[in-house]
Amino acid sequence: MRSLVHRAALLLLPLVESAVLVAPSAVAETIAGHRPSPDLAVGRAAYQQHCARCHGVEGRGDGYDAKRLYPRPRDLTEGIFKFRSTATGTTPTDEDLFNTLTNGLPGTGMPDWSHLDEGARWQLVAYLTSLSAAFTDAPPESVNLGTDPGPKRADHAQGHAVYEKLGCAACHGLGGRGNGPSAATLVDNWGRPTRPKDLTEGWSYRGGNRPRDIVARMLTGIDGTPMPSYAEAVSTDDAWQLAYYVRSLQRDIASTMIAHARRLEGPLPEDPDDPRWQEAPRADARLRAVVDTQGQINAPQTVTRLSVWVLHNGEAMGLRLMWNDTSDDRGTPADALAVALLPQGLGGDVVSLQTWPLRDTPSLDLCLWSAAQTAGEAREAVAKDFSTLFDGTIAGTVRESRAAYLDGEWTVVITRPLAPTDVPGAAQLDAQAIVPVGFVVWDGGNPSQRAVSMWIDVVLRPPKTRGQGHEAAPSKTQGGGGAIWAIASVVLVAGLGLVIKTR
Ligand code: HEC
Ligand code: HEC
């Protein structure tokens, strides 16, 4: 174990300087004055209180929540750290660990701990470095990240050329959607399947999504994973150009619990590319992986977000759904999607898609689209589970649908009558309704995994226009999705012990 006193003394001197020369991989403000002298008993107590349920009492990554998380919580005794400012194969600096604690690892189960005061975070850092023999007396130095050219001097064409030259596309794909030819073959140091990051999902970069963070990832690698260090292969200038290019691939996420529909007159668009879809605002739903029957997750989550646009014409509702999927799977198992509604009369009952179906959960109104279906076919039925719809035990009623797959992205349009008479028990909506809708996505290339959204309120009634006084009370035909979501979260937390703050 590295001497803690020694480390503390080291820190007082070069902190300010090092923050300027080699800025840490994430945004934390590190003020030397707030750093208490290390007290392992304090660090250990904080660890047991906040970290042990995932990382285990001894830090071996075997806490009781561990199997429900993917990637798994790290074995902190091994000394392998993904997000460092230091060369590949070395330990992180104390500041790196502090930043990881402060920012968390977005898109994974690792929460951020910015609500703990700075002193407590430093005590945790000191405790972490006591857990592994990899931390030696001579802490490694941060890698020199070179000079940020600034966004004005960023040249995306040059960055793209570096992306091609270094072979990033082999894993991350030409457009960065994580769909390169090697993507589905990767395994990490712990023998578990892993996937290259979908670089377009800017919100889910674990080590930060700014150009500086991306340069740090390139020059230090992500240890424990197939993502190598390019320190020997790229100049810092090229690394910055590449980082600005990667930054330009990132899309924002309009994460929401509410999707506002727009009303059109006449037939609804069937073509996924019809410009009229743009009249409805986009709503994004974060998807979460569902645990298997053993309460575990054993595969990486490949579909992490779904974008939705809703149109209706008073008679029917059209949904345009878009999500990233690294492979176009139309065989068995096929890519598939279900739109879930609460059947008629199920207003008050609450069910979370993350735990559906369980033995006593109520049936749902499902509109299942599968890439394996005859082109343009989605089927709706009120069902007790998904499998009966998949295997044809329940035939369901065919709904108009169209689908297109392009470079790692599905776009599917499904149209459904607002008040269908051809499906017993189906949700009956009207043009004033606020309807809870949930989404379920299967990736045929990652078949053990199902990803689900929370319930989202789809607002069919027209938006309030300026100057309009009071509106007629909304007709909440199906009960409030917001309330359902809140209760579902509680059910989740209670039922699965998951209190995960991912961003
Ligand atoms: C809800 C579960 C959970 C809790 C609680 C949790 N972690 Fe983690 N932690 C994870 C997961 C999952 C990972 C692995 C993420 C990955 O590999 O991408 C992780 C990774 C880490 C890493 C490795 C970072 C790296 O660069 O590789 C450190 C360090 C860490 N956690 C420290 C802590 C500390 C300290 C606490 C308590 C203050 C804590 N964690 C609490 C789930 C958790
Ligand atoms: C051999 C496959 C492979 C190659 C080649 C590769 N990566 Fe990665 N990359 C990965 C994997 C796997 C991950 C996810 C690691 C993890 O966190 O588990 C990743 C993650 C990333 C991340 C996300 C880091 C974060 O904060 O979450 C960035 C950015 C990235 N890679 C950029 C690049 C760039 C730029 C190149 C080319 C210079 C490249 N990668 C080449 C496999 C690869």
Side-chain angles (χ1 to χ4, degrees):
M1 181 185 42
R2 200 188 291 173
S3 144
L4 292 166
V5 180
H6 174 65
R7 275 167 80 83
L10 260 176
L11 248 158
L12 291 175
L13 303 171
L15 240 185
V16 179
E17 198 188 17
S18 68
V20 174
L21 291 180
V22 278
S25 64
V27 217
E29 302 290 324
T30 49
I31 304 158
H34 292 192
R35 190 169 179 180
S37 49
D39 182 337
L40 280 188
V42 174
R44 183 177 165 77
Y47 176 88
Q48 296 302 339
Q49 184 184 352
H50 302 297
C51 324
R53 69 191 173 90
C54 289
H55 290 284
V57 173
E58 305 291 331
R60 296 191 183 281
D62 55 357
Y64 63 79
D65 276 342
K67 290 201 164 68
R68 297 180 186 125
L69 300 172
Y70 204 103
R72 293 279 193 267
R74 193 68 40 75
D75 178 342
L76 298 167
T77 68
E78 280 183 334
I80 299 176
F81 292 88
K82 291 185 179 178
F83 303 103
R84 295 158 294 100
S85 63
T86 59
T88 180
T90 64
T91 50
T93 65
D94 288 358
E95 289 72 27
D96 292 338
L97 291 171
F98 184 87
N99 289 337
T100 298
L101 294 191
T102 302
N103 300 311
L105 298 174
T108 79
M110 170 70 182
D112 81 72
W113 300 96
S114 52
H115 56 285
L116 299 183
D117 66 359
E118 231 181 278
R121 277 175 268 154
W122 282 120
Q123 296 296 4
L124 281 162
V125 167
Y127 182 68
L128 286 174
T129 63
S130 79
L131 286 175
S132 168
F135 289 92
T136 58
D137 275 339
E141 284 187 15
S142 296
V143 164
N144 176 8
L145 299 185
T147 314
D148 181 353
K152 290 214 180 81
R153 285 166 54 209
D155 179 343
H156 291 172
Q158 192 194 335
H160 178 78
V162 181
Y163 185 86
E164 288 200 325
K165 191 177 104 195
L166 295 180
C168 311
C171 292
H172 293 282
L174 289 175
R177 292 213 176 106
N179 58 338
S182 307
T185 65
L186 304 178
V187 175
D188 68 17
N189 274 30
W190 302 279
R192 296 183 179 282
T194 183
R195 295 289 181 126
K197 170 70 58 202
D198 178 342
L199 298 173
T200 66
E201 301 285 11
W203 55 274
S204 70
Y205 285 40
R206 297 171 201 176
N209 62 13
R210 303 168 309 164
R212 172 168 297 282
D213 306 321
I214 300 166
V215 170
R217 296 294 79 76
M218 267 182 288
L219 298 182
T220 69
I222 304 183
D223 287 2
T225 84
M227 167 79 193
S229 158
Y230 288 87
E232 307 297 320
V234 70
S235 68
T236 52
D237 287 351
D238 277 357
W240 277 98
Q241 292 301 348
L242 174 49
Y244 273 101
Y245 170 69
V246 170
R247 173 80 162 173
S248 76
L249 301 174
Q250 297 171 4
R251 296 183 302 172
D252 63 332
I253 182 164
S255 206
T256 180
M257 299 310 298
I258 297 177
H260 289 277
R262 286 291 179 269
R263 185 168 179 153
L264 293 184
E265 297 310 321
L268 295 172
E270 288 170 14
D271 184 344
D273 290 329
D274 192 307
R276 283 177 295 169
W277 287 110
Q278 302 308 328
E279 289 177 26
R282 183 185 101 208
D284 292 335
R286 285 276 315 274
L287 303 182
R288 281 163 210 276
V290 171
V291 295
D292 65 16
T293 46
Q294 267 76 53
Q296 301 187 11
I297 296 181
N298 286 310
Q301 186 179 343
T302 42
V303 185
T304 53
R305 104 141 96 205
L306 178 104
S307 299
V308 56
W309 292 257
V310 188
L311 294 172
H312 77 93
N313 58 9
E315 300 284 315
M317 169 169 84
L319 296 159
R320 178 180 189 249
L321 305 146
M322 202 175 205
W323 69 97
N324 285 6
D325 177 328
T326 56
S327 52
D328 176 354
D329 304 294
R330 300 179 193 227
T332 320
D335 297 333
L337 164 123
V339 177
L341 297 165
L342 300 184
Q344 205 177 9
L346 191 67
D349 286 346
V350 162
V351 55
S352 156
L353 286 177
Q354 209 156 6
T355 53
W356 195 89
L358 281 181
R359 199 150 27 97
D360 295 319
T361 49
S363 297
L364 290 180
D365 178 345
L366 299 172
C367 200
L368 179 79
W369 168 87
S370 162
Q373 298 292 329
T374 332
E377 203 175 273
R379 291 170 302 132
E380 180 171 0
V382 174
K384 272 234 143 299
D385 56 32
F386 297 113
S387 58
T388 40
L389 256 172
F390 270 115
D391 67 19
T393 312
I394 297 181
T397 301
V398 173
R399 297 287 176 228
E400 198 81 50
S401 74
R402 288 264 205 101
Y405 182 86
L406 188 67
D407 189 23
E409 187 172 64
W410 276 110
T411 311
V412 174
V413 167
I414 300 174
T415 312
R416 172 197 189 271
L418 287 181
T421 51
D422 49 5
V423 174
Q428 301 293 306
L429 317 176
D430 67 56
Q432 294 296 313
I434 298 177
V435 196
V437 178
F439 303 99
V440 187
V441 178
W442 292 262
D443 173 358
N446 186 21
S448 64
Q449 182 73 199
R450 181 164 92 234
V452 300
S453 74
M454 298 285 193
W455 292 97
I456 288 176
D457 274 341
V458 171
V459 182
L460 294 176
R461 67 191 172 120
K464 237 187 214 168
T465 49
R466 204 184 286 266
Q468 202 176 331
H470 292 286
E471 271 187 307
S475 83
K476 283 211 159 195
T477 13
Q478 299 289 321
I484 285 174
W485 175 75
I487 298 165
S489 316
V490 173
V491 168
L492 241 190
V493 169
L496 296 175
L498 283 174
V499 190
I500 309 170
K501 184 176 172 203
T502 49
R503 282 172 290 167

mmCIF file of all heavy atoms in Angstrom, residues 124-144:
data_model
loop_
_atom_site.group_PDB
_atom_site.id
_atom_site.type_symbol
_atom_site.label_atom_id
_atom_site.label_comp_id
_atom_site.label_asym_id
_atom_site.label_seq_id
_atom_site.Cartn_x
_atom_site.Cartn_y
_atom_site.Cartn_z
ATOM 1 N N LEU A 124 -12.763 8.535 0.876
ATOM 2 C CA LEU A 124 -13.072 7.346 0.070
ATOM 3 C C LEU A 124 -11.929 7.038 -0.894
ATOM 4 O O LEU A 124 -11.565 5.879 -1.094
ATOM 5 C CB LEU A 124 -14.384 7.553 -0.704
ATOM 6 C CG LEU A 124 -15.653 7.356 0.125
ATOM 7 C CD1 LEU A 124 -16.858 7.994 -0.567
ATOM 8 C CD2 LEU A 124 -15.905 5.862 0.359
ATOM 9 N N VAL A 125 -11.360 8.090 -1.494
ATOM 10 C CA VAL A 125 -10.228 7.900 -2.410
ATOM 11 C C VAL A 125 -9.074 7.230 -1.663
ATOM 12 O O VAL A 125 -8.488 6.245 -2.127
ATOM 13 C CB VAL A 125 -9.783 9.245 -3.028
ATOM 14 C CG1 VAL A 125 -8.431 9.104 -3.722
ATOM 15 C CG2 VAL A 125 -10.845 9.760 -3.994
ATOM 16 N N ALA A 126 -8.770 7.747 -0.470
ATOM 17 C CA ALA A 126 -7.676 7.173 0.315
ATOM 18 C C ALA A 126 -7.975 5.706 0.625
ATOM 19 O O ALA A 126 -7.102 4.838 0.511
ATOM 20 C CB ALA A 126 -7.489 7.971 1.605
ATOM 21 N N TYR A 127 -9.229 5.418 0.957
ATOM 22 C CA TYR A 127 -9.579 4.033 1.268
ATOM 23 C C TYR A 127 -9.442 3.159 0.023
ATOM 24 O O TYR A 127 -8.922 2.033 0.097
ATOM 25 C CB TYR A 127 -11.002 3.969 1.844
ATOM 26 C CG TYR A 127 -11.384 2.572 2.228
ATOM 27 C CD1 TYR A 127 -10.745 1.940 3.297
ATOM 28 C CD2 TYR A 127 -12.343 1.865 1.505
ATOM 29 C CE1 TYR A 127 -11.064 0.631 3.639
ATOM 30 C CE2 TYR A 127 -12.668 0.564 1.850
ATOM 31 C CZ TYR A 127 -12.020 -0.051 2.915
ATOM 32 O OH TYR A 127 -12.330 -1.353 3.246
ATOM 33 N N LEU A 128 -9.883 3.678 -1.139
ATOM 34 C CA LEU A 128 -9.776 2.895 -2.384
ATOM 35 C C LEU A 128 -8.330 2.509 -2.669
ATOM 36 O O LEU A 128 -8.047 1.385 -3.073
ATOM 37 C CB LEU A 128 -10.317 3.706 -3.580
ATOM 38 C CG LEU A 128 -11.831 3.868 -3.700
ATOM 39 C CD1 LEU A 128 -12.164 4.819 -4.859
ATOM 40 C CD2 LEU A 128 -12.509 2.522 -3.906
ATOM 41 N N THR A 129 -7.406 3.454 -2.471
ATOM 42 C CA THR A 129 -6.012 3.156 -2.795
ATOM 43 C C THR A 129 -5.404 2.173 -1.784
ATOM 44 O O THR A 129 -4.333 1.634 -2.020
ATOM 45 C CB THR A 129 -5.137 4.431 -2.842
ATOM 46 O OG1 THR A 129 -5.117 5.027 -1.543
ATOM 47 C CG2 THR A 129 -5.666 5.427 -3.851
ATOM 48 N N SER A 130 -6.099 1.946 -0.675
ATOM 49 C CA SER A 130 -5.598 0.964 0.296
ATOM 50 C C SER A 130 -6.091 -0.445 -0.033
ATOM 51 O O SER A 130 -5.645 -1.416 0.543
ATOM 52 C CB SER A 130 -6.040 1.353 1.713
ATOM 53 O OG SER A 130 -7.401 0.983 1.912
ATOM 54 N N LEU A 131 -7.037 -0.542 -0.982
ATOM 55 C CA LEU A 131 -7.652 -1.843 -1.266
ATOM 56 C C LEU A 131 -6.825 -2.703 -2.205
ATOM 57 O O LEU A 131 -7.035 -3.909 -2.282
ATOM 58 C CB LEU A 131 -9.053 -1.643 -1.876
ATOM 59 C CG LEU A 131 -10.160 -1.196 -0.931
ATOM 60 C CD1 LEU A 131 -11.438 -0.919 -1.716
ATOM 61 C CD2 LEU A 131 -10.407 -2.255 0.140
ATOM 62 N N SER A 132 -5.946 -2.075 -2.979
ATOM 63 C CA SER A 132 -5.213 -2.851 -3.976
ATOM 64 C C SER A 132 -3.722 -2.608 -3.868
ATOM 65 O O SER A 132 -3.276 -1.466 -3.714
ATOM 66 C CB SER A 132 -5.684 -2.462 -5.385
ATOM 67 O OG SER A 132 -4.795 -2.991 -6.341
ATOM 68 N N ALA A 133 -2.959 -3.686 -4.005
ATOM 69 C CA ALA A 133 -1.499 -3.592 -3.962
ATOM 70 C C ALA A 133 -0.953 -2.884 -5.201
ATOM 71 O O ALA A 133 0.222 -2.524 -5.251
ATOM 72 C CB ALA A 133 -0.897 -4.992 -3.867
ATOM 73 N N ALA A 134 -1.821 -2.687 -6.210
ATOM 74 C CA ALA A 134 -1.356 -2.009 -7.428
ATOM 75 C C ALA A 134 -0.961 -0.553 -7.150
ATOM 76 O O ALA A 134 -0.154 0.022 -7.871
ATOM 77 C CB ALA A 134 -2.452 -2.049 -8.494
ATOM 78 N N PHE A 135 -1.557 0.015 -6.088
ATOM 79 C CA PHE A 135 -1.185 1.391 -5.747
ATOM 80 C C PHE A 135 0.142 1.362 -5.002
ATOM 81 O O PHE A 135 0.227 0.819 -3.904
ATOM 82 C CB PHE A 135 -2.272 2.041 -4.884
ATOM 83 C CG PHE A 135 -3.522 2.333 -5.648
ATOM 84 C CD1 PHE A 135 -4.560 1.400 -5.689
ATOM 85 C CD2 PHE A 135 -3.667 3.514 -6.355
ATOM 86 C CE1 PHE A 135 -5.723 1.657 -6.404
ATOM 87 C CE2 PHE A 135 -4.826 3.777 -7.068
ATOM 88 C CZ PHE A 135 -5.845 2.844 -7.099
ATOM 89 N N THR A 136 1.171 1.878 -5.617
ATOM 90 C CA THR A 136 2.502 1.832 -5.016
ATOM 91 C C THR A 136 2.875 3.214 -4.499
ATOM 92 O O THR A 136 2.122 4.175 -4.658
ATOM 93 C CB THR A 136 3.539 1.399 -6.060
ATOM 94 O OG1 THR A 136 3.475 2.323 -7.141
ATOM 95 C CG2 THR A 136 3.258 -0.009 -6.565
ATOM 96 N N ASP A 137 4.039 3.296 -3.918
ATOM 97 C CA ASP A 137 4.461 4.572 -3.344
ATOM 98 C C ASP A 137 4.680 5.665 -4.372
ATOM 99 O O ASP A 137 4.612 6.837 -4.072
ATOM 100 C CB ASP A 137 5.744 4.378 -2.521
ATOM 101 C CG ASP A 137 5.377 3.935 -1.109
ATOM 102 O OD1 ASP A 137 4.218 4.174 -0.719
ATOM 103 O OD2 ASP A 137 6.229 3.348 -0.429
ATOM 104 N N ALA A 138 5.004 5.280 -5.600
ATOM 105 C CA ALA A 138 5.259 6.293 -6.623
ATOM 106 C C ALA A 138 4.054 6.384 -7.547
ATOM 107 O O ALA A 138 3.918 5.611 -8.471
ATOM 108 C CB ALA A 138 6.499 5.916 -7.430
ATOM 109 N N PRO A 139 3.141 7.314 -7.247
ATOM 110 C CA PRO A 139 1.948 7.401 -8.089
ATOM 111 C C PRO A 139 2.316 7.789 -9.522
ATOM 112 O O PRO A 139 3.238 8.582 -9.724
ATOM 113 C CB PRO A 139 1.117 8.499 -7.424
ATOM 114 C CG PRO A 139 1.986 9.184 -6.454
ATOM 115 C CD PRO A 139 3.191 8.355 -6.206
ATOM 116 N N PRO A 140 1.627 7.209 -10.519
ATOM 117 C CA PRO A 140 1.947 7.531 -11.902
ATOM 118 C C PRO A 140 1.561 8.966 -12.239
ATOM 119 O O PRO A 140 0.712 9.559 -11.570
ATOM 120 C CB PRO A 140 1.087 6.554 -12.693
ATOM 121 C CG PRO A 140 -0.029 6.205 -11.777
ATOM 122 C CD PRO A 140 0.482 6.302 -10.387
ATOM 123 N N GLU A 141 2.182 9.497 -13.260
ATOM 124 C CA GLU A 141 1.846 10.858 -13.684
ATOM 125 C C GLU A 141 0.764 10.830 -14.745
ATOM 126 O O GLU A 141 0.649 9.876 -15.498
ATOM 127 C CB GLU A 141 3.090 11.532 -14.254
ATOM 128 C CG GLU A 141 4.034 11.958 -13.158
ATOM 129 C CD GLU A 141 5.180 12.778 -13.698
ATOM 130 O OE1 GLU A 141 5.093 13.251 -14.851
ATOM 131 O OE2 GLU A 141 6.149 12.935 -12.951
ATOM 132 N N SER A 142 0.049 11.923 -14.814
ATOM 133 C CA SER A 142 -0.947 12.028 -15.872
ATOM 134 C C SER A 142 -0.247 12.164 -17.219
ATOM 135 O O SER A 142 0.808 12.786 -17.313
ATOM 136 C CB SER A 142 -1.834 13.244 -15.632
ATOM 137 O OG SER A 142 -2.556 13.087 -14.437
ATOM 138 N N VAL A 143 -0.858 11.583 -18.241
ATOM 139 C CA VAL A 143 -0.335 11.658 -19.596
ATOM 140 C C VAL A 143 -0.518 13.093 -20.113
ATOM 141 O O VAL A 143 -1.526 13.744 -19.809
ATOM 142 C CB VAL A 143 -1.106 10.647 -20.473
ATOM 143 C CG1 VAL A 143 -0.911 10.911 -21.946
ATOM 144 C CG2 VAL A 143 -0.720 9.225 -20.104
ATOM 145 N N ASN A 144 0.451 13.570 -20.860
ATOM 146 C CA ASN A 144 0.336 14.905 -21.447
ATOM 147 C C ASN A 144 -0.698 14.889 -22.572
ATOM 148 O O ASN A 144 -0.545 14.169 -23.555
ATOM 149 C CB ASN A 144 1.704 15.332 -21.989
ATOM 150 C CG ASN A 144 1.643 16.677 -22.694
ATOM 151 O OD1 ASN A 144 0.618 17.361 -22.660
ATOM 152 N ND2 ASN A 144 2.733 17.048 -23.344
#
